[in-house]
Short mmCIF file of all heavy atoms in Angstrom, two decimals:
data_model
loop_
_atom_site.label_atom_id
_atom_site.label_comp_id
_atom_site.label_asym_id
_atom_site.label_seq_id
_atom_site.Cartn_x
_atom_site.Cartn_y
_atom_site.Cartn_z
N VAL A 638 13.00 126.10 80.39
CA VAL A 638 12.61 126.29 81.80
C VAL A 638 11.26 125.63 82.07
O VAL A 638 11.07 124.94 83.08
CB VAL A 638 12.56 127.80 82.14
CG1 VAL A 638 11.88 128.02 83.50
CG2 VAL A 638 13.96 128.39 82.17
N LEU A 639 10.30 125.83 81.17
CA LEU A 639 8.97 125.24 81.35
C LEU A 639 9.03 123.72 81.34
O LEU A 639 8.38 123.05 82.14
CB LEU A 639 8.02 125.74 80.26
CG LEU A 639 7.65 127.22 80.32
CD1 LEU A 639 6.84 127.62 79.10
CD2 LEU A 639 6.88 127.54 81.60
N PHE A 640 9.83 123.17 80.42
CA PHE A 640 9.96 121.71 80.38
C PHE A 640 10.69 121.20 81.62
O PHE A 640 10.37 120.12 82.14
CB PHE A 640 10.70 121.29 79.11
CG PHE A 640 9.80 121.05 77.94
CD1 PHE A 640 9.26 122.12 77.23
CD2 PHE A 640 9.46 119.77 77.56
CE1 PHE A 640 8.42 121.91 76.15
CE2 PHE A 640 8.62 119.54 76.48
CZ PHE A 640 8.09 120.61 75.77
N ALA A 641 11.66 121.95 82.11
CA ALA A 641 12.36 121.55 83.34
C ALA A 641 11.40 121.56 84.53
O ALA A 641 11.42 120.65 85.37
CB ALA A 641 13.55 122.47 83.60
N LEU A 642 10.56 122.60 84.60
CA LEU A 642 9.55 122.65 85.68
C LEU A 642 8.58 121.48 85.57
O LEU A 642 8.18 120.89 86.57
CB LEU A 642 8.79 123.98 85.62
CG LEU A 642 9.58 125.23 86.00
CD1 LEU A 642 8.76 126.49 85.73
CD2 LEU A 642 9.99 125.18 87.48
N ALA A 643 8.21 121.15 84.33
CA ALA A 643 7.33 119.99 84.13
C ALA A 643 8.02 118.71 84.58
O ALA A 643 7.40 117.85 85.22
CB ALA A 643 6.92 119.89 82.66
N GLY A 644 9.31 118.58 84.26
CA GLY A 644 10.05 117.39 84.68
C GLY A 644 10.13 117.25 86.18
O GLY A 644 9.93 116.16 86.74
N VAL A 645 10.39 118.37 86.85
CA VAL A 645 10.41 118.35 88.32
C VAL A 645 9.03 117.99 88.85
O VAL A 645 8.89 117.23 89.83
CB VAL A 645 10.87 119.72 88.86
CG1 VAL A 645 10.69 119.78 90.38
CG2 VAL A 645 12.32 119.98 88.50
N GLY A 646 7.99 118.51 88.19
CA GLY A 646 6.63 118.19 88.61
C GLY A 646 6.33 116.71 88.48
O GLY A 646 5.71 116.11 89.37
N TRP A 647 6.77 116.08 87.39
CA TRP A 647 6.56 114.64 87.22
C TRP A 647 7.29 113.86 88.32
O TRP A 647 6.74 112.92 88.90
CB TRP A 647 7.08 114.19 85.85
CG TRP A 647 6.12 114.46 84.73
CD1 TRP A 647 6.18 115.48 83.84
CD2 TRP A 647 4.93 113.73 84.42
NE1 TRP A 647 5.12 115.42 82.97
CE2 TRP A 647 4.34 114.35 83.29
CE3 TRP A 647 4.33 112.60 84.96
CZ2 TRP A 647 3.17 113.89 82.71
CZ3 TRP A 647 3.16 112.13 84.37
CH2 TRP A 647 2.59 112.76 83.28
N TRP A 648 8.52 114.25 88.59
CA TRP A 648 9.30 113.55 89.62
C TRP A 648 8.64 113.69 90.98
O TRP A 648 8.47 112.70 91.71
CB TRP A 648 10.73 114.13 89.65
CG TRP A 648 11.55 113.66 90.81
CD1 TRP A 648 12.18 112.47 90.94
CD2 TRP A 648 11.81 114.39 92.02
NE1 TRP A 648 12.83 112.39 92.15
CE2 TRP A 648 12.62 113.56 92.84
CE3 TRP A 648 11.45 115.65 92.50
CZ2 TRP A 648 13.05 113.97 94.10
CZ3 TRP A 648 11.88 116.06 93.74
CH2 TRP A 648 12.67 115.22 94.53
N TRP A 649 8.25 114.91 91.35
CA TRP A 649 7.67 115.14 92.67
C TRP A 649 6.31 114.45 92.80
O TRP A 649 6.01 113.85 93.83
CB TRP A 649 7.52 116.65 92.89
CG TRP A 649 7.09 117.00 94.28
CD1 TRP A 649 7.87 117.19 95.38
CD2 TRP A 649 5.73 117.23 94.72
NE1 TRP A 649 7.10 117.51 96.47
CE2 TRP A 649 5.78 117.55 96.09
CE3 TRP A 649 4.50 117.20 94.09
CZ2 TRP A 649 4.65 117.84 96.84
CZ3 TRP A 649 3.36 117.48 94.83
CH2 TRP A 649 3.45 117.79 96.18
N THR A 650 5.50 114.55 91.74
CA THR A 650 4.18 113.93 91.78
C THR A 650 4.29 112.42 91.90
O THR A 650 3.53 111.78 92.65
CB THR A 650 3.38 114.29 90.51
OG1 THR A 650 3.29 115.71 90.39
CG2 THR A 650 1.97 113.71 90.58
N ALA A 651 5.21 111.81 91.16
CA ALA A 651 5.40 110.36 91.23
C ALA A 651 5.77 109.94 92.64
O ALA A 651 5.30 108.90 93.14
CB ALA A 651 6.46 109.92 90.24
N ARG A 652 6.60 110.73 93.32
CA ARG A 652 6.97 110.41 94.70
C ARG A 652 5.78 110.53 95.64
O ARG A 652 5.56 109.68 96.51
CB ARG A 652 8.10 111.33 95.16
CG ARG A 652 9.46 111.05 94.54
CD ARG A 652 10.55 111.80 95.26
NE ARG A 652 10.64 111.41 96.66
CZ ARG A 652 11.44 112.00 97.55
NH1 ARG A 652 12.22 113.00 97.18
NH2 ARG A 652 11.48 111.58 98.80
N GLN A 653 5.02 111.60 95.48
CA GLN A 653 3.88 111.83 96.36
C GLN A 653 2.79 110.78 96.19
O GLN A 653 2.12 110.41 97.16
CB GLN A 653 3.30 113.23 96.10
CG GLN A 653 4.19 114.38 96.52
CD GLN A 653 4.42 114.41 98.02
OE1 GLN A 653 3.48 114.34 98.81
NE2 GLN A 653 5.67 114.52 98.43
N MET A 654 2.61 110.30 94.96
CA MET A 654 1.51 109.38 94.69
C MET A 654 1.92 107.92 94.75
O MET A 654 1.10 107.04 94.47
CB MET A 654 0.91 109.70 93.32
CG MET A 654 0.34 111.10 93.22
SD MET A 654 -0.71 111.40 91.75
CE MET A 654 0.29 110.75 90.44
N GLN A 655 3.15 107.66 95.11
CA GLN A 655 3.64 106.28 95.14
C GLN A 655 2.80 105.43 96.10
O GLN A 655 2.64 105.76 97.27
CB GLN A 655 5.10 106.25 95.56
CG GLN A 655 5.74 104.88 95.45
CD GLN A 655 7.23 104.93 95.71
OE1 GLN A 655 7.76 105.96 96.11
NE2 GLN A 655 7.92 103.82 95.50
N GLY A 656 2.27 104.34 95.59
CA GLY A 656 1.47 103.43 96.40
C GLY A 656 0.07 103.91 96.71
O GLY A 656 -0.65 103.26 97.48
N MET A 657 -0.37 105.02 96.13
CA MET A 657 -1.68 105.58 96.46
C MET A 657 -2.74 105.28 95.41
O MET A 657 -3.91 105.61 95.61
CB MET A 657 -1.57 107.10 96.64
CG MET A 657 -0.67 107.53 97.78
SD MET A 657 -0.82 109.28 98.15
CE MET A 657 -2.52 109.37 98.71
N ASP A 658 -2.36 104.68 94.30
CA ASP A 658 -3.33 104.40 93.24
C ASP A 658 -4.25 103.26 93.66
O ASP A 658 -3.83 102.11 93.80
CB ASP A 658 -2.60 104.04 91.95
CG ASP A 658 -3.56 103.69 90.82
OD1 ASP A 658 -4.72 104.14 90.89
OD2 ASP A 658 -3.16 102.96 89.90
N GLU A 659 -5.52 103.57 93.86
CA GLU A 659 -6.52 102.58 94.21
C GLU A 659 -7.53 102.38 93.09
O GLU A 659 -8.63 101.89 93.31
CB GLU A 659 -7.24 102.99 95.49
CG GLU A 659 -6.30 103.08 96.71
CD GLU A 659 -7.00 103.58 97.95
OE1 GLU A 659 -8.21 103.91 97.86
OE2 GLU A 659 -6.36 103.64 99.01
N GLY A 660 -7.14 102.79 91.87
CA GLY A 660 -8.01 102.59 90.73
C GLY A 660 -9.03 103.70 90.59
O GLY A 660 -8.85 104.81 91.10
N PRO A 661 -10.13 103.44 89.90
CA PRO A 661 -11.17 104.45 89.70
C PRO A 661 -11.66 105.04 91.01
O PRO A 661 -11.88 104.33 91.98
CB PRO A 661 -12.29 103.65 89.00
CG PRO A 661 -11.56 102.57 88.27
CD PRO A 661 -10.43 102.18 89.18
N TRP A 662 -11.81 106.36 90.99
CA TRP A 662 -12.32 107.13 92.13
C TRP A 662 -11.45 106.95 93.37
O TRP A 662 -11.96 106.83 94.48
CB TRP A 662 -13.77 106.77 92.42
CG TRP A 662 -14.62 106.71 91.20
CD1 TRP A 662 -15.32 105.63 90.75
CD2 TRP A 662 -14.84 107.76 90.24
NE1 TRP A 662 -15.97 105.93 89.57
CE2 TRP A 662 -15.69 107.23 89.23
CE3 TRP A 662 -14.40 109.08 90.12
CZ2 TRP A 662 -16.12 107.99 88.14
CZ3 TRP A 662 -14.81 109.83 89.01
CH2 TRP A 662 -15.66 109.28 88.05
N THR A 663 -10.14 106.94 93.18
CA THR A 663 -9.21 106.91 94.31
C THR A 663 -9.49 108.10 95.22
O THR A 663 -9.76 109.21 94.76
CB THR A 663 -7.75 107.00 93.81
OG1 THR A 663 -7.47 105.85 93.02
CG2 THR A 663 -6.78 107.06 94.97
N GLY A 664 -9.44 107.87 96.54
CA GLY A 664 -9.67 108.93 97.51
C GLY A 664 -8.70 110.10 97.30
O GLY A 664 -7.53 109.89 96.98
N LEU A 665 -9.18 111.33 97.53
CA LEU A 665 -8.39 112.52 97.25
C LEU A 665 -7.63 113.04 98.46
O LEU A 665 -6.83 113.96 98.33
CB LEU A 665 -9.29 113.64 96.70
CG LEU A 665 -10.09 113.28 95.44
CD1 LEU A 665 -10.89 114.50 94.96
CD2 LEU A 665 -9.19 112.77 94.34
N GLY A 666 -7.87 112.49 99.63
CA GLY A 666 -7.16 112.94 100.82
C GLY A 666 -7.68 114.28 101.31
O GLY A 666 -8.76 114.74 100.93
N ALA A 667 -6.88 114.97 102.12
CA ALA A 667 -7.27 116.28 102.66
C ALA A 667 -7.16 117.34 101.58
O ALA A 667 -6.38 117.21 100.63
CB ALA A 667 -6.38 116.64 103.84
N LEU A 668 -7.93 118.41 101.72
CA LEU A 668 -7.99 119.45 100.70
C LEU A 668 -6.61 120.06 100.43
O LEU A 668 -6.21 120.20 99.27
CB LEU A 668 -8.97 120.54 101.12
CG LEU A 668 -9.03 121.78 100.20
CD1 LEU A 668 -9.43 121.38 98.79
CD2 LEU A 668 -10.00 122.80 100.78
N GLY A 669 -5.89 120.43 101.48
CA GLY A 669 -4.59 121.07 101.30
C GLY A 669 -3.62 120.17 100.57
O GLY A 669 -2.91 120.61 99.66
N TRP A 670 -3.58 118.90 100.95
CA TRP A 670 -2.66 117.95 100.29
C TRP A 670 -3.05 117.77 98.83
O TRP A 670 -2.20 117.83 97.95
CB TRP A 670 -2.69 116.61 101.02
CG TRP A 670 -1.73 115.61 100.45
CD1 TRP A 670 -0.42 115.43 100.77
CD2 TRP A 670 -2.01 114.66 99.40
NE1 TRP A 670 0.15 114.44 100.01
CE2 TRP A 670 -0.80 113.95 99.16
CE3 TRP A 670 -3.13 114.35 98.66
CZ2 TRP A 670 -0.71 112.94 98.21
CZ3 TRP A 670 -3.04 113.34 97.70
CH2 TRP A 670 -1.85 112.64 97.49
N PHE A 671 -4.34 117.55 98.58
CA PHE A 671 -4.80 117.33 97.21
C PHE A 671 -4.52 118.54 96.34
O PHE A 671 -4.04 118.41 95.20
CB PHE A 671 -6.29 117.02 97.19
CG PHE A 671 -6.88 117.06 95.80
CD1 PHE A 671 -6.65 116.03 94.90
CD2 PHE A 671 -7.64 118.15 95.39
CE1 PHE A 671 -7.18 116.07 93.62
CE2 PHE A 671 -8.16 118.19 94.11
CZ PHE A 671 -7.93 117.15 93.22
N LEU A 672 -4.79 119.74 96.85
CA LEU A 672 -4.60 120.94 96.04
C LEU A 672 -3.13 121.13 95.68
O LEU A 672 -2.80 121.49 94.54
CB LEU A 672 -5.13 122.17 96.78
CG LEU A 672 -5.19 123.47 95.97
CD1 LEU A 672 -6.09 123.29 94.76
CD2 LEU A 672 -5.69 124.61 96.84
N GLY A 673 -2.24 120.85 96.64
CA GLY A 673 -0.81 120.96 96.35
C GLY A 673 -0.38 119.98 95.27
O GLY A 673 0.33 120.35 94.32
N VAL A 674 -0.81 118.73 95.39
CA VAL A 674 -0.46 117.72 94.39
C VAL A 674 -1.10 118.06 93.05
O VAL A 674 -0.48 117.90 91.99
CB VAL A 674 -0.90 116.32 94.86
CG1 VAL A 674 -0.73 115.28 93.76
CG2 VAL A 674 -0.10 115.89 96.09
N TRP A 675 -2.32 118.55 93.07
CA TRP A 675 -3.04 118.86 91.84
C TRP A 675 -2.33 119.96 91.05
O TRP A 675 -2.16 119.84 89.83
CB TRP A 675 -4.47 119.29 92.18
CG TRP A 675 -5.27 119.76 91.01
CD1 TRP A 675 -5.50 121.05 90.63
CD2 TRP A 675 -5.97 118.94 90.05
NE1 TRP A 675 -6.30 121.10 89.51
CE2 TRP A 675 -6.60 119.82 89.13
CE3 TRP A 675 -6.12 117.56 89.89
CZ2 TRP A 675 -7.36 119.35 88.07
CZ3 TRP A 675 -6.88 117.10 88.83
CH2 TRP A 675 -7.49 117.98 87.94
N VAL A 676 -1.91 121.03 91.73
CA VAL A 676 -1.25 122.13 91.03
C VAL A 676 0.06 121.66 90.40
O VAL A 676 0.36 121.98 89.24
CB VAL A 676 -1.01 123.31 92.00
CG1 VAL A 676 -0.12 124.37 91.35
CG2 VAL A 676 -2.33 123.94 92.41
N VAL A 677 0.83 120.89 91.15
CA VAL A 677 2.09 120.37 90.59
C VAL A 677 1.80 119.42 89.44
O VAL A 677 2.50 119.41 88.42
CB VAL A 677 2.92 119.68 91.69
CG1 VAL A 677 4.20 119.08 91.09
CG2 VAL A 677 3.29 120.67 92.79
N MET A 678 0.75 118.62 89.59
CA MET A 678 0.36 117.69 88.53
C MET A 678 -0.02 118.44 87.25
O MET A 678 0.36 118.06 86.15
CB MET A 678 -0.83 116.84 88.99
CG MET A 678 -1.27 115.79 87.99
SD MET A 678 -2.86 115.00 88.44
CE MET A 678 -2.44 114.30 90.03
N MET A 679 -0.75 119.55 87.41
CA MET A 679 -1.13 120.34 86.24
C MET A 679 0.09 120.96 85.57
O MET A 679 0.17 121.03 84.33
CB MET A 679 -2.13 121.42 86.63
CG MET A 679 -3.51 120.91 87.04
SD MET A 679 -4.31 119.89 85.77
CE MET A 679 -3.97 118.24 86.41
N ALA A 680 1.04 121.41 86.36
CA ALA A 680 2.28 121.94 85.77
C ALA A 680 3.00 120.86 84.99
O ALA A 680 3.48 121.08 83.87
CB ALA A 680 3.19 122.50 86.88
N ALA A 681 3.05 119.66 85.55
CA ALA A 681 3.72 118.55 84.88
C ALA A 681 3.01 118.18 83.59
O ALA A 681 3.65 117.94 82.55
CB ALA A 681 3.79 117.34 85.82
N MET A 682 1.70 118.12 83.62
CA MET A 682 0.93 117.68 82.47
C MET A 682 0.78 118.75 81.39
O MET A 682 0.79 118.45 80.20
CB MET A 682 -0.47 117.21 82.91
CG MET A 682 -0.47 115.99 83.81
SD MET A 682 -2.14 115.55 84.37
CE MET A 682 -2.89 115.00 82.84
N MET A 683 0.64 120.01 81.80
CA MET A 683 0.24 121.06 80.88
C MET A 683 1.37 121.94 80.37
O MET A 683 1.26 122.51 79.27
CB MET A 683 -0.82 121.95 81.55
CG MET A 683 -2.09 121.22 81.90
SD MET A 683 -2.89 120.53 80.43
CE MET A 683 -4.43 119.98 81.13
#
């Protein structure tokens, strides 16, 4: 279950971040959007 949640997190995060990589110190966007992506990213990574 944990690995499945991580897999879903990778898929969702990749979709959300598509085309947004601007290299070092990429802008973080609005707080609500960033926090949502960050939590899913942490689930995917951790």
Side-chain angles (χ1 to χ4, degrees):
V638 168
L639 292 173
F640 271 77
L642 290 173
V645 171
W647 280 101
W648 170 79
W649 187 86
T650 304
R652 288 192 61 186
Q653 291 296 311
M654 299 193 312
Q655 188 173 8
M657 297 191 65
D658 178 24
E659 298 176 357
W662 315 121
T663 297
L665 303 183
L668 174 59
W670 183 88
F671 168 76
L672 189 60
V674 172
W675 175 261
V676 170
V677 177
M678 183 190 300
M679 291 303 100
M682 295 177 68
M683 298 299 188

